[in-house]
Every structure is written in structure tokens, then in C-alpha cells.
Amino acid sequence: STPVLISAIPKKTNFMLTRRSKRFLFKVSAVSYKEFAESALEETRKRIVLEPSPLQKRYSSMTGLDGKTELQMLAFKSSKIRLLRSMAIENETMQVFDFAGFMEPEYDVPIFCANFFTSANTNIVVLDLNPLHQLTDQTDYQGKYYNNIMSIYHKYAETFPWGGKLTGESLKFFSPLVMWTRFSSSQEKHEALFSAFVEYYQAWLEMTIQVREEMEPSQVRANREAQHKYLTWRAQKDPGHGLLKRLVGEVKAKELLRDFLFSGVDELGTKTFIDYFPEYQTEDGTVSDKRSIIGKSYETRPWDLTGQFIG
Ligand code: BLA
């Protein structure tokens, strides 16, 4: 079906709109990321057994300080997946989606990462299987996980081109599969984003099913530390923090970040942010408020078509 612009419908015909077509018209103007989460969970339940995460009891829904913003939280686990969680935020002017999957440290699988921010006209999108271990110098890791699924990226590359300069530090958390893009809203783009999301998610789910348990204690330790470093970074420096604070207040935002979104940051390791990222240390020993030390970089996509890093 072709999308209809509300303004293109003559007033006279308004009375003919059924409840069904009104729902359809509403959908033209607003994307609902709750459906994205539901689809991913449905795909998951077809393949593996999901249990509710203990976090679900404490986090299910929340209303923003404005009384109009709704936050919906979902959290699950499985025998191999430590945490599969979703947060969808909606109000009259924006929709936010943060969906992630983290493995138990015994399993060396990338982190599933979907972060979509939609406001009146613009969309900021990161969709990736974030590498657990650095990719630039670990080509075996790249060969193991990314080389055979690069076709997924190529399928959407034209619709969702590179989003331009971004915080330089972010890049080491991204893989050659990453979809980093900005676009203005349209029904077509949101439908394409939905299928990209499902396809990336299915690729990740397949990895979680195929992976064998790591028996080498030193390797399990390395996986745990890599995930802890990732959580430590995002709990401290994720670009969504400012908005989240405005929506729910500083205390609740911090709790959401450390206890829900990046849960594990206080359990998987004892190293501090400064231990991992000493360049952020200020003269009095505290963590710098700066989002970035490097600044904005990577005007163009720093991987070639085969997924080799070209900087
Ligand atoms: C912007 N979000 C961004 C940007 C990136 C990401 C790269 C562009 C700005 C920049 O270069 O930093 C996303 N960055 C990521 C992700 C990783 C990373 C996923 O390093 C993973 C390692 N975004 C959210 C949530 C909110 C949100 C939950 O995921 C709000 C609650 C908002 N993101 C948001 C907003 C912007 C943004 C408002 C634009 C503001 C800005 O650029 O600072």
C-alpha cells in the first residue's frame, strides 16, 4: 500500500475514514519502536527459550517528568544470553529505541546494538553487532564473525549511507557491519529500517545459537573484561545521556543507565572508567565531562567493501 499524506486528503472525505485507515494514517507520521522489540522477541522465542530477567520486576514502564513521555522497558535472559533488554521511549515529538543483547562471558559473541533516535524530521541510527574484541588488529575475530555476513550490510548500504563525522572514540566499538546513518523520516525508510533491524538481529541470534562454550578460563576472563569495558564506556559516555536526564531527571537516568541499560557494569569487573580510558582523567583525578577527547572524526566510512579497516 502507498503511504498517504494527511494533508493530501481533501477535508470532505474525512468522514469516510474508518478507524482502520485512521490507524494507518497515524502510522505514516510516527514510527513505533515497540513493534520492533516485539518482533525481535518473537523471532527469539521461535529459536530459544527466553526467561524474564530479574531486572524486569524493577523496570517495566516509567513516565517522564513532563507527564507525557512514556518509557517501556523489557528484559530477558537465556542459558547463554546474560541480558536481552529493550527500552522504547515515546512522546508526541520523538521516539527512541535502545535494544541490546549481551552474552554470558563463557560465550564469545558480539554485542547486539540497535540505537534509533527519531524526532520530527530526523533520525539518528546505529545498528551493529558490536565486536567484543578489537577488530583492527584481530583479523581472526573478523573472519570468524563478520566476513560471511557482510552481504547484510551491502543490502542496506545505499538506503542508509554513512552518517558522517561521529565521536571518534565510538568507532572502536563498531564493526565493519555497522549501519551508522541519519535520514529524514518517511514510511519507506522506516520500513527498510525495520527489515534491517530484523535481519541484523537474526544474524546475531544465529551466532548465539551456534557458539560453543569457552572452556579456557583466561579466554572467559578476556570476554568478561571486554564486555565490562564496553559497559563502562556506554554507562558513562553514551550520546543519549543528556536527553535521558532531561526526560526523567538525573537520579533516575543514572539508575536506568547503570542498573538497566548497561547492567553488569557494577558486577562484571572492578576496573574503573579511568582504568580503561585514562585519557579522560582530569587534574583532580575525576572523569572529564567531555564526551570525547579525540573529537568528531571519520567523515566517510572507514572500512572498504570487504570490511577491511582503512581508517
Ligand atoms: C546521537 N547516538 C548519536 C550519535 C551516535 C550515537 C554515534 C552521533 C553523535 C556522536 O557522534 O556521538 C550512538 N554511539 C552511539 C552508539 C554507540 C556509540 C549506539 O558509541 C555504541 C557504542 N540515543 C540513544 C538513546 C537516546 C539517544 C537511548 O541511543 C536518548 C535517550 C539520543 N543520540 C541521541 C541524541 C543524539 C544522538 C539526542 C544527538 C545529539 C548528539 O549528537 O549529541
Side-chain angles (χ1 to χ4, degrees), residues 14-290:
N14 268 353
F15 70 93
M16 292 188 332
L17 293 176
T18 61
R19 213 177 299 158
R20 194 183 150 81
S21 57
K22 273 184 193 156
R23 242 189 348 250
F24 171 70
L25 286 173
F26 174 74
K27 270 189 156 180
V28 174
S29 54
V31 57
S32 174
Y33 291 126
K34 286 181 189 169
E35 290 169 21
F36 284 46
E38 286 308 326
S39 298
L41 293 172
E42 209 178 294
E43 288 304 309
T44 314
R45 290 194 186 96
K46 284 183 197 161
R47 311 287 310 275
I48 61 169
V49 178
L50 278 186
E51 306 156 45
S53 156
L55 291 176
Q56 187 74 78
K57 282 209 183 76
R58 277 175 289 139
Y59 300 93
S60 57
S61 67
M62 210 184 263
T63 305
L65 296 172
D66 61 1
K68 292 181 193 164
T69 304
E70 293 299 330
L71 294 85
Q72 183 210 55
M73 279 74 74
L74 299 169
F76 296 89
K77 62 191 287 306
S78 78
S79 56
K80 294 178 180 176
I81 302 171
R82 183 178 69 79
L83 175 62
L84 183 67
R85 76 355 174 230
S86 168
M87 179 176 73
I89 307 178
E90 288 182 6
N91 63 28
E92 284 156 353
T93 57
M94 56 158 224
Q95 296 80 40
V96 178
F97 188 45
D98 185 337
F99 193 102
F102 305 97
M103 301 303 283
E104 292 288 352
E106 287 76 15
Y107 302 95
D108 173 8
V109 168
I111 294 161
F112 182 80
C113 166
N115 283 75
F116 307 158
F117 170 79
T118 300
S119 65
N121 285 308
T122 167
N123 292 267
I124 300 175
V125 163
V126 174
L127 177 59
D128 193 21
L129 310 191
N130 291 155
L132 196 55
H133 300 288
Q134 299 264 3
L135 276 177
T136 40
D137 47 19
Q138 278 224 7
T139 46
D140 55 330
Y141 189 81
Q142 172 149 347
K144 196 162 141 196
Y145 289 121
Y146 296 100
N147 291 353
N148 60 340
I149 55 167
M150 283 305 289
S151 60
I152 306 177
Y153 161 74
H154 291 298
K155 191 167 162 185
Y156 296 98
E158 215 173 293
T159 314
F160 297 116
W162 185 252
K165 284 192 174 183
L166 76 165
T167 303
E169 283 84 354
S170 290
L171 210 86
K172 59 178 177 292
F173 299 105
F174 292 175
S175 83
L177 197 69
V178 71
M179 198 169 109
W180 149 243
T181 191
R182 300 167 187 266
F183 57 89
S184 41
S185 290
S186 74
Q187 176 122 0
E188 288 79 12
K189 285 282 171 80
H190 283 132
E191 279 170 8
L193 183 62
F194 175 72
S195 44
F197 168 72
V198 173
E199 240 176 292
Y200 274 68
Y201 185 72
Q202 274 167 338
W204 181 76
L205 190 59
E206 190 57 38
M207 286 178 187
T208 73
I209 292 166
Q210 298 301 328
V211 69
R212 297 272 156 265
E213 185 175 352
E214 180 61 65
M215 292 300 174
E216 197 61 57
S218 65
Q219 206 48 53
V220 175
R221 268 201 305 278
N223 292 344
R224 185 182 291 112
E225 178 157 315
Q227 193 179 137
H228 186 245
K229 182 176 180 179
Y230 178 93
L231 296 166
T232 302
W233 170 260
R234 294 201 62 187
Q236 186 89 30
K237 294 293 177 191
D238 216 46
H241 290 189
L243 180 60
L244 203 57
K245 277 179 195 160
R246 283 201 297 283
L247 290 175
V248 299
E250 187 146 7
V251 174
K252 282 234 170 86
K254 207 172 165 197
E255 199 185 299
L256 264 174
L257 284 161
R258 297 196 75 86
D259 200 31
F260 180 78
L261 293 174
F262 305 112
S263 174
V265 64
D266 295 319
E267 293 85 24
L268 290 188
T270 52
K271 284 195 183 171
T272 66
F273 185 86
I274 294 296
D275 291 335
Y276 290 126
F277 310 101
E279 64 277 18
Y280 280 85
Q281 184 159 22
T282 59
E283 275 177 5
D284 61 6
T286 58
V287 178
S288 165
D289 285 338
K290 282 190 195 156

